Amino acid sequence: MLSLLVRIFIKHPDAFKDNTVREQYGILTGALGIGLNIFLFLLKLFAGLITKSVAVTADAVNNLSDAGSSLLTIIGFKLSSKKPDREHPFGHGRFEYITGLVVSIFILLMGIELFKSSVKSIIHPQPVTKNLLTIFILIISIGIKIYMYFYNHSTAKKIASAAMDATAKDSLSDTISTFVVLASFAASYFTDFKFDGIAGLFVALFIIYSGYTAAKETIEPLLGSAPKKEFVNDIEKEVLQHKPIAGIHDLVVHDYGPGRRFISLHAEVPGDGNIFDLHDIIDNVEYTLSKKFGCEAVIHMDPIDLNNKELGNLKHLVLAEIKHINSDFTIHDFRMVPGRTHTNLIFDVVKPSTCTAPDETIKKEIIDRVHTICPVYHCVVNIDQAYV
């Protein structure tokens, strides 16, 4: 069904990084989600009323909340697709994350209310009317929800949408919870034990868990989560393909929503190179990164002495000592300034986010260790925080 609608309503369905196409996918899948969830809500509400089943009614209300979530997703895609303006020069892409968070909170609140109803049903159980039509409705519901999971998950991967991925996971949790309701309802044919309240409780807990995980995944990009390792490696690989760039460091990725990433980095270039030629190379790298990764790139040139063997050997010795402190430490911008009484070794040390030692403690240990190489070496160390 979705494939047919895509062919009808989206002119360039393969241009997944285009903001207009992303918006069209979001609105189309959201509208389909509203229609299917309202259809399931009406079916299950009818089944819940005629059977007096708390679990079936709870599952029906859950589908109604899913329809509301799909509506919020459409609103989120519309708002996030707005062009940058004076007040928001980086665009409105994070609206999509905010929408995902609102959907998650909505799911959590619904789960809590269903939890209360289920507990009451366990304490004061009511007889459930057996009905084969209800079993048939629940089976249809499972099939539709499986279909919804696959098309939401597939579309979320194509357009890199956190909000749609949250919707896909919610559909999967609905599939499992509806199966539990089906199992409890079918069990009523073989025993008088009141499974209905227990099944409703399980559905409520599953909904709460689904809301929690979806909220966690949408909060992370809002807070500024680190970029994926594969993305960082791809950036580094692409930059180093442009000679004579010898290395990169201080890579920072800013995420302002899907398709709105800004990256900055320092590129190590030969200190004796022609500044105009190097600047031209850096411009080409920035252009390549923007086209290949759909981002804005800013690169700072760091000149290094590639021909000084003494400096290179000394850098390796210093790095080996620093690795004894923490094997994940790296160094860059290594310079040597000889003097009459001592030699300054000037460099930056990048510590990983897992390192909790104070900067001053790290500096002191580095100075002490470098003194073991040669007492006349005086370290001027700057501690950098890794952002990737």
Side-chain angles (χ1 to χ4, degrees):
M1 182 189 297
L2 182 64
S3 299
L4 176 62
L5 294 175
V6 166
R7 288 197 296 270
I8 295 172
F9 293 105
I10 302 179
K11 291 183 178 179
H12 305 287
D14 295 329
F16 302 121
K17 292 184 179 180
D18 183 87
N19 287 332
T20 301
V21 174
R22 292 187 78 259
E23 178 189 353
Q24 291 171 341
Y25 268 106
I27 293 173
L28 184 60
T29 55
L32 183 59
I34 291 174
L36 291 175
N37 278 309
I38 289 179
F39 172 70
L40 291 177
F41 163 71
L42 294 174
L43 278 181
K44 291 180 184 177
L45 180 63
F46 169 74
L49 291 175
I50 63 174
T51 60
K52 299 178 183 179
S53 168
V54 172
V56 175
T57 304
D59 211 26
V61 175
N62 182 37
N63 288 137
L64 182 62
S65 73
D66 291 341
S69 298
S70 295
L71 177 61
L72 287 174
T73 300
I74 291 176
I75 295 171
F77 271 98
K78 289 292 292 183
L79 292 175
S80 65
S81 65
K82 289 177 62 179
K83 293 182 179 180
D85 52 36
R86 185 175 180 180
E87 290 77 20
H88 308 93
F90 299 110
H92 303 77
R94 285 181 176 171
F95 263 122
E96 191 172 323
Y97 300 146
I98 295 172
T99 302
L101 179 59
V102 173
V103 169
S104 303
I105 294 172
F106 196 50
I107 293 170
L108 280 169
L109 293 175
M110 188 62 60
I112 292 170
E113 288 302 314
L114 294 178
F115 181 86
K116 293 178 183 177
S117 301
S118 300
V119 170
K120 290 179 181 178
S121 179
I122 293 173
I123 297 173
H124 305 290
Q126 298 294 325
V128 174
T129 304
K130 300 177 179 65
N131 189 297
L132 288 175
L133 177 62
T134 300
I135 293 178
F136 181 67
I137 289 173
L138 292 175
I139 292 172
I140 291 175
S141 175
I142 290 172
I144 292 176
K145 277 296 180 178
I146 289 174
Y147 168 70
M148 292 177 70
Y149 164 75
F150 279 110
Y151 83 66
N152 277 304
H153 180 67
S154 174
T155 307
K157 287 181 66 177
K158 289 176 181 177
I159 67 173
S161 171
M164 194 169 293
D165 192 47
T167 302
K169 290 180 179 178
D170 185 42
S171 296
L172 183 61
S173 68
D174 290 344
T175 301
I176 298 173
S177 62
T178 302
F179 180 79
V180 172
V181 174
L182 174 62
S184 70
F185 197 81
S188 66
Y189 279 84
F190 306 101
T191 177
D192 292 330
F193 186 81
K194 302 298 187 293
F195 285 106
D196 190 54
I198 296 173
L201 186 65
F202 181 88
V203 171
L205 290 173
F206 212 89
I207 292 171
I208 291 171
Y209 177 76
S210 175
Y212 164 76
T213 54
K216 183 180 177 182
E217 290 180 6
T218 51
I219 286 173
E220 285 183 355
L222 284 172
L223 292 177
S225 58
K228 293 182 179 180
K229 188 176 180 180
E230 295 79 11
F231 180 73
V232 173
N233 291 339
D234 289 343
I235 292 290
E236 182 174 8
K237 182 180 179 181
E238 179 59 43
V239 174
L240 294 180
Q241 284 182 353
H242 297 260
K243 302 302 179 184
I245 297 176
I248 71 168
H249 56 267
D250 288 344
L251 172 62
V252 180
V253 180
H254 301 275
D255 187 347
Y256 292 95
R260 294 173 176 84
R261 279 190 293 199
F262 291 75
I263 68 171
S264 61
L265 60 91
H266 289 211
E268 297 173 353
V269 297
D272 57 355
N274 183 287
I275 187 66
F276 293 102
D277 292 339
L278 293 173
H279 190 273
D280 183 61
I281 292 169
I282 293 299
D283 281 345
N284 290 334
V285 177
E286 289 175 340
Y287 178 79
T288 301
L289 291 177
S290 67
K291 290 298 180 183
K292 188 171 183 178
F293 299 101
C295 63
E296 294 292 332
V298 177
I299 300 177
H300 169 78
M301 288 191 297
D302 268 347
I304 59 172
D305 190 350
L306 295 175
N307 300 317
N308 190 332
K309 291 184 178 181
E310 180 186 357
L311 181 65
N313 292 333
L314 184 56
K315 180 181 177 180
H316 285 299
L317 288 174
V318 171
L319 180 59
E321 289 297 326
I322 290 174
K323 289 287 187 181
H324 286 299
I325 302 173
N326 189 310
S327 60
D328 292 325
F329 281 176
T330 59
I331 64 175
H332 59 82
D333 287 341
F334 192 88
R335 304 187 299 281
M336 180 172 62
V337 182
R340 293 180 61 184
T341 59
H342 66 277
T343 296
N344 282 341
L345 301 181
I346 307 170
F347 56 92
D348 294 350
V349 175
V350 181
K351 71 173 185 178
S353 57
T354 53
C355 178
T356 57
D359 291 354
E360 293 304 317
T361 302
I362 296 172
K363 288 182 182 180
K364 184 179 184 307
E365 191 167 356
I366 289 173
I367 291 170
D368 292 341
R369 284 187 170 275
V370 171
H371 276 165
T372 63
I373 299 174
C374 182
V376 300
Y377 290 150
H378 177 72
C379 292
V380 181
V381 185
N382 178 59
I383 306 296
D384 284 346
Q385 177 67 52
Y387 293 101
V388 296

